[in-house]
Amino acid sequence: MASEAQLRANEKYLKNKKTMVTRLDPEEYEKIQEAAKKVTGGSVQAYVLLSIRERMEKDLRE
């Protein structure tokens, strides 16, 4: 179980963050996970954020 200090630190950290939930079919998630292993070593979150940032950069240039 987390200590009181850890709980407070986590709460403080999360206050400054936004959460984005995405629901995927298992097959689609597996494809993303496979690509993430090749690009980021396995982190789906890192892969998704990288993809979004690259797309945003492209969209903002147009």
Side-chain angles (χ1 to χ4, degrees):
M1 178 131 181
S3 69
E4 285 294 320
Q6 288 171 321
L7 292 173
R8 284 193 307 272
N10 192 47
E11 185 178 328
K12 182 179 176 182
Y13 172 80
L14 291 175
K15 269 186 186 177
N16 298 315
K17 301 295 177 192
K18 297 287 184 185
T19 300
M20 183 172 63
V21 177
T22 304
R23 304 205 187 282
L24 304 167
D25 291 329
E27 300 81 20
E28 188 173 13
Y29 182 82
E30 289 171 10
K31 288 179 184 177
I32 293 169
Q33 196 172 35
E34 191 175 312
K37 285 179 188 174
K38 293 179 183 177
V39 176
T40 66
S43 172
V44 171
Q45 180 175 342
Y47 179 75
V48 169
L49 289 173
L50 176 65
S51 299
I52 290 169
R53 288 177 181 135
E54 287 176 354
R55 178 60 189 255
M56 282 176 29
E57 186 178 311
K58 177 183 176 260
D59 290 346
L60 293 173
R61 274 187 269 136
E62 294 177 353

